[in-house]
Amino acid sequence: MSLKIKNQLGIFDLQNDFSIEIEDTSPIYNERGSQSVPATLPASRNNLSLITHVHRPDSTYSPAPDARVTVSDGVYNRIGKMNITQASKSGGIVSNIGFDESELYSEWNAVSLRSLSAPVIRPEGGTAGVINLLNSIMNETIVDDALSVFPICVAMPSHTTTVNGTETTTYYPEYINKITKLENGTYSLQGTARQETFLINNEPVFTSVPEGYAISPFLKVSWILNFIFVQYGYTVLENPFSTHRQLSRLVVLNNMADSIVKGFIDYSDLLPDCTINEFLQALYCRFGMVYFVDGKNKTVNLKFIKDIISTPASLNWSLLKSARPVINYAAAQQLKLSASTNISGPYTNLVATPTADSLDKFLKPFGHVLSSNTAKGYLTYSLWDGFYYVRNNLTGVREARSSDFFPWDKGANISYMEISSIDECLPMKGSYPDDQPVCPAYLLGKVHKYTNISSASVELAEEQNTQTPLCFCFSMPRASTPYPYGSPRCYAPGGEAIAINGHTFDISMTFTGDNGLFSRFWKGFDAILRHSNHTVEVPVHLNPIQLLNIDFSQTINIDGQRLLLDTVRYTLPKLLSRPATVRLRTLRLLIPVGETDLDLDAEQGIQTIEQLYKWAFHNNRENIVELKIRAQVEEWKKAITPPAQWLGVLRKNEVSDQVSDIEIPFTVPTQEDYEAGKEFFIKEINYSFDLYYKVRVPNGQTSQGDIIWKDKEYGGVHYAITYGLSVKAELL
């Protein structure tokens, strides 16, 4: 028999008819990875010694966790990890072998990113040298493969005082990487030893901090990905986060206040509190990033699902099949994408959690009308902070209504494929309540590791459980922003699109919107889930070399159809007469019976309507007043004789129960409302006043004989009326 299985201690005995079934799986459709079906090895003396006699009840040792083994069959040679599930002299040794990514899946569930041995850099000059390095990185006078620097807000504590019954709230924002503009136009980190005011035990305290305090760089996602795989002996061959013009600027935030005060940067301090799998799952949820492991060559390729499903077929297996394909039709599905929204500040603009379960549900009460006129529109959207605002129709004041961190959920009447992540959605802080520039609001407190910050009277006590949750942010190019700037969106602080070297950034860390992650990375796959994704099973004659080099990121041509590999199942030892069972997924979109075409825009798009009209207040008060006072005014006019001159009437002591905060029970008018002159009655208003009239009468003469005139008021007749208040459709 050419089939051999060996570990570090020797070669296992195999009976003549022994075979092992292996199933290689695509990481797109499967989570457990490539592995063998459980098989039973004979309980020979040799085999029991190779597993250190773990079959014995009195054994000193437990089975080695994932012991490395080699499976070979002629030119087929593959390294994996053996997992023993049962061992006895009578029943044999039951085990399975995991290959490629399966070697990593189970381990990475329990491995924290921060537990990995990360680099430590020590620039010359201690803390001052670190600050100089980070200033250069921030101003992009040097480019660093691992680090980025820009300001973030990490806390927004407040202190409330009461004076004469009036409450006043003062906020004390806390920052990482606060900046100062220099005379030469560059920016410098505020890194000198200094005194700052902190809110401690709800009281403002003037506190001394050391050099380098509240300065910390951020690690790039591209570097972290490469770091993870290198730690496990793999070389990353393809990494789009290193090459894409915008994604190469994606970082993870950290809130460590004293990361550089000792004069070095330990990269492990800059990593988030999450496992490796949680980090990779976040990138999968956000971008559809999948990693393909080659255990034989110890290499990894990182790819986006959107790119995989759109590439032409690279292999044609039509002539290798031994029977006709069997198609199993799957029920239609839709994507649901979500991430964490736990960040929350003291006012609405700093709350990540949206006010509805989906953007569709949020827009529905507004009739899906969204105005691009931010100065006059009723419902508007702010590009730089990602908030939806509603404008008071009467006062014109805008009120923040919801963040744009909605899950992606179209709510169609089909089942879901749900993908979620633990990473936090990131609000943006404006210039309120201080005069600091716009920056990300990573409001999760500060972490201290190397210092104990204190004042003369009060110790600054940080909660020991303060962590650094996973959160992504773009470090924007200095050439495109007025100051060092980070944002989860692709817009500058003023709402302008970010552009560099002729390339406009077009990715925002939201699931909704034209620049959102669904549109940029998931739209094609969602269409496949809705109108394809059926399984095709076909026996295919694949030789050992082909089996060893299966690439699940490639699409396959079978009978003129482009398909994506799901699983390849085969038996060793490999016999020419025994084909592999191949399962593939369809990619071609099928039109439902009874329809002539697909309307993906309607299925996947979140439609909005531009606001063209507004409701405006109207009332008939002046008409009613005019009719009410007409007779009295005419009587007064008739009583005026020359040289007295009639000047008109005026109202005093006006009283009305019309209030300024009357709400219009509508969002915006439709075109039909406007064309029809639609008007809606709101309420009856009580109005009263005293009516006076004014006349100009002679009051002596000047020395030159000119008449001196004097204005006088008469009357004081009281009136009380009721008029109707309504709203009418007008052009915006």
Side-chain angles (χ1 to χ4, degrees):
M1 174 183 286
S2 63
L3 178 61
K4 293 180 181 179
I5 302 175
K6 64 179 181 180
N7 65 9
Q8 292 179 330
L9 299 178
I11 301 174
F12 286 92
D13 298 327
L14 305 175
Q15 60 263 40
N16 289 333
D17 61 347
F18 179 84
S19 64
I20 184 171
E21 192 171 34
I22 294 175
E23 185 175 65
D24 292 329
T25 62
S26 166
I28 298 175
Y29 298 106
N30 306 273
E31 295 183 353
R32 67 188 186 96
S34 300
Q35 54 187 280
S36 70
V37 175
T40 302
L41 302 173
S44 67
R45 183 187 300 269
N46 173 62
N47 288 357
L48 294 174
S49 69
L50 295 181
I51 64 169
T52 63
H53 301 283
V54 296
H55 70 290
R56 295 175 54 171
D58 62 346
S59 174
T60 306
Y61 305 101
S62 60
D66 299 326
R68 189 164 289 275
V69 298
T70 300
V71 179
S72 60
D73 180 25
V75 297
Y76 185 99
N77 193 284
R78 198 170 183 186
I79 297 174
K81 289 185 178 180
M82 176 179 283
N83 176 43
I84 298 173
T85 58
Q86 188 181 81
S88 69
K89 265 198 167 183
S90 59
I93 304 165
V94 181
S95 67
N96 71 296
I97 301 170
F99 303 98
D100 300 334
E101 67 277 359
S102 68
E103 295 185 60
L104 307 172
Y105 283 161
S106 59
E107 185 172 353
W108 284 357
N109 275 326
V111 177
S112 168
L113 271 180
R114 288 196 163 181
S115 69
L116 302 179
S117 181
V120 178
I121 61 173
R122 301 178 184 271
E124 292 184 4
T127 302
V130 176
I131 295 172
N132 289 335
L133 171 65
L134 297 182
N135 273 326
S136 298
I137 293 173
M138 182 176 70
N139 287 293
E140 297 188 348
T141 56
I142 66 171
V143 178
D144 192 276
D145 291 336
L147 304 176
S148 288
V149 184
F150 51 84
I152 64 172
C153 183
V154 293
M156 190 75 71
S158 62
H159 177 63
T160 301
T161 57
T162 303
V163 178
N164 298 326
T166 302
E167 286 191 351
T168 302
T169 299
T170 304
Y171 295 99
Y172 293 85
E174 298 179 17
Y175 297 89
I176 299 292
N177 301 331
K178 225 173 171 181
I179 55 176
T180 301
K181 191 173 185 179
L182 304 180
E183 291 182 359
N184 63 3
T186 63
Y187 284 84
S188 177
L189 295 163
Q190 296 185 12
T192 58
R194 60 198 182 277
Q195 289 189 315
E196 290 190 1
T197 301
F198 293 99
L199 204 63
I200 304 171
N201 299 327
N202 203 35
E203 291 295 331
V205 178
F206 210 45
T207 305
S208 297
V209 298
E211 182 182 31
Y213 185 77
I215 292 177
S216 179
F218 309 121
L219 282 172
K220 294 178 180 178
V221 169
S222 58
W223 184 92
I224 298 174
L225 284 168
N226 189 69
F227 167 68
I228 291 171
F229 288 103
V230 167
Q231 289 287 298
Y232 287 85
Y234 290 88
T235 300
V236 179
L237 299 180
E238 182 180 353
N239 184 355
F241 290 92
S242 296
T243 56
H244 190 279
R245 61 180 177 271
Q246 185 177 351
L247 295 180
S248 63
R249 307 188 73 93
L250 189 68
V251 305
V252 295
L253 299 184
N254 71 84
N255 51 346
M256 191 168 177
D258 57 358
S259 65
I260 73 164
V261 297
K262 297 300 184 182
F264 59 82
I265 304 175
D266 186 341
Y267 283 19
S268 64
D269 293 335
L270 312 182
L271 290 166
D273 286 306
C274 67
T275 68
I276 295 175
N277 268 354
E278 286 172 335
F279 177 75
L280 296 173
Q281 171 65 18
L283 295 178
Y284 173 67
C285 178
R286 295 289 190 171
F287 308 100
M289 189 208 79
V290 185
Y291 59 96
F292 297 87
V293 176
D294 184 342
K296 174 170 60 70
N297 297 309
K298 301 294 285 186
T299 59
V300 177
N301 287 292
L302 310 176
K303 297 177 181 288
F304 297 135
I305 290 178
K306 74 175 183 70
D307 296 329
I308 294 170
I309 61 177
S310 62
T311 55
S314 54
L315 295 172
N316 193 330
W317 287 359
S318 301
L319 300 180
L320 302 180
K321 66 182 191 294
S322 63
R324 294 183 180 276
V326 175
I327 302 177
N328 298 293
Y329 288 95
Q333 287 184 295
Q334 61 182 322
L335 277 175
K336 183 176 181 179
L337 308 170
S338 61
S340 297
T341 55
N342 295 313
I343 294 177
S344 181
Y347 42 91
T348 308
N349 303 65
L350 297 178
V351 177
T353 304
T355 57
D357 295 335
S358 70
L359 180 54
D360 257 342
K361 290 181 180 179
F362 173 76
L363 292 173
K364 188 175 181 179
F366 302 96
H368 285 252
V369 177
L370 181 66
S371 178
S372 60
N373 188 334
T374 57
K376 295 182 178 180
Y378 181 67
L379 178 68
T380 59
Y381 175 71
S382 173
L383 293 173
W384 74 267
D385 69 352
F387 257 81
Y388 289 89
Y389 291 84
V390 172
R391 187 178 307 279
N392 184 298
N393 283 283
L394 190 61
T395 65
V397 176
R398 293 197 314 167
E399 174 191 342
R401 184 60 59 90
S402 178
S403 79
D404 61 354
F405 295 124
F406 301 97
W408 177 263
D409 183 2
K410 278 292 291 176
N413 191 28
I414 53 178
S415 64
Y416 285 108
M417 175 185 284
E418 295 192 36
I419 305 173
S420 61
S421 167
I422 66 161
D423 73 295
E424 295 290 344
C425 295
L426 183 66
M428 294 292 290
K429 176 193 170 296
S431 57
Y432 178 84
D434 53 12
D435 58 355
Q436 289 299 303
V438 172
C439 69
Y442 186 60
L443 303 178
L444 296 164
K446 291 188 297 188
V447 174
H448 288 153
K449 181 178 179 180
Y450 302 113
T451 58
N452 185 26
I453 310 300
S454 61
S455 68
S457 58
V458 182
E459 183 175 300
L460 177 59
E462 292 285 331
E463 294 184 11
Q464 295 302 307
N465 62 350
T466 300
Q467 291 187 317
T468 304
L470 178 61
C471 186
F472 299 110
C473 186
F474 293 110
S475 174
M476 296 306 184
R478 280 292 297 114
S480 63
T481 59
Y483 50 84
Y485 178 68
S487 173
R489 298 174 182 82
C490 52
Y491 300 101
E496 309 88 359
I498 298 287
I500 184 170
N501 298 328
H503 298 290
T504 301
F505 284 15
D506 59 0
I507 300 171
S508 290
M509 296 298 290
T510 59
F511 293 114
T512 60
D514 293 340
N515 296 316
L517 301 172
F518 176 83
S519 179
R520 296 299 181 208
F521 293 92
W522 285 107
K523 199 171 184 178
F525 190 66
D526 180 74
I528 290 171
L529 292 178
R530 291 171 179 271
H531 300 289
S532 192
N533 202 42
H534 308 301
T535 59
V536 177
E537 292 190 0
V538 58
V540 180
H541 286 290
L542 299 173
N543 62 44
I545 299 298
Q546 290 172 311
L547 293 173
L548 275 176
N549 293 283
I550 290 173
D551 184 353
F552 284 95
S553 69
Q554 295 179 318
T555 54
I556 308 295
N557 184 323
I558 293 182
D559 297 340
Q561 297 300 308
R562 192 171 61 92
L563 306 167
L564 188 58
L565 281 171
D566 185 339
T567 63
V568 178
R569 195 163 181 161
Y570 54 94
T571 302
L572 299 178
K574 185 72 178 71
L575 303 176
L576 294 175
S577 61
R578 190 159 54 195
T581 301
V582 178
R583 179 191 298 161
L584 308 101
R585 301 287 184 123
T586 62
L587 299 175
R588 185 165 66 92
L589 304 183
L590 304 180
I591 301 172
V593 175
E595 299 183 18
T596 59
D597 204 353
L598 298 177
D599 190 352
L600 292 177
D601 287 341
E603 290 183 42
Q604 300 179 315
I606 298 177
Q607 306 300 322
T608 59
I609 303 167
E610 179 61 39
Q611 182 182 347
L612 301 176
Y613 314 98
K614 68 175 182 179
W615 293 114
F617 281 112
H618 285 259
N619 65 71
N620 59 347
R621 188 183 78 176
E622 294 307 307
N623 290 336
I624 295 176
V625 169
E626 175 65 24
L627 290 172
K628 193 78 171 177
I629 68 174
R630 182 178 295 173
Q632 180 64 73
V633 172
E634 290 300 318
E635 182 181 333
W636 283 339
K637 281 184 175 180
K638 289 178 182 177
I640 304 299
T641 57
Q645 302 173 8
W646 174 262
L647 296 179
V649 297
L650 69 157
R651 303 174 207 173
K652 292 185 177 181
N653 306 319
E654 293 177 283
V655 178
S656 174
D657 62 3
Q658 180 175 336
V659 293
S660 61
D661 61 347
I662 294 176
E663 292 189 5
I664 300 177
F666 319 99
T667 55
V668 294
T670 64
Q671 183 177 351
E672 291 76 16
D673 292 334
Y674 174 72
E675 292 176 347
K678 198 83 173 226
E679 190 169 359
F680 289 95
F681 174 78
I682 301 297
K683 63 181 299 184
E684 292 285 347
I685 305 295
N686 296 312
Y687 174 62
S688 65
F689 59 92
D690 296 327
L691 187 69
Y692 292 80
Y693 69 96
K694 293 180 68 175
V695 294
R696 181 166 292 171
V697 297
N699 190 33
Q701 292 182 336
T702 66
S703 57
Q704 289 80 22
D706 298 324
I707 299 174
I708 299 174
W709 296 96
K710 183 178 181 179
D711 294 348
K712 291 187 176 183
E713 294 180 2
Y714 300 96
V717 180
H718 184 75
Y719 291 90
I721 66 168
T722 301
Y723 64 87
L725 182 68
S726 62
V727 291
K728 190 175 181 180
E730 292 184 353
L731 285 170
L732 181 63

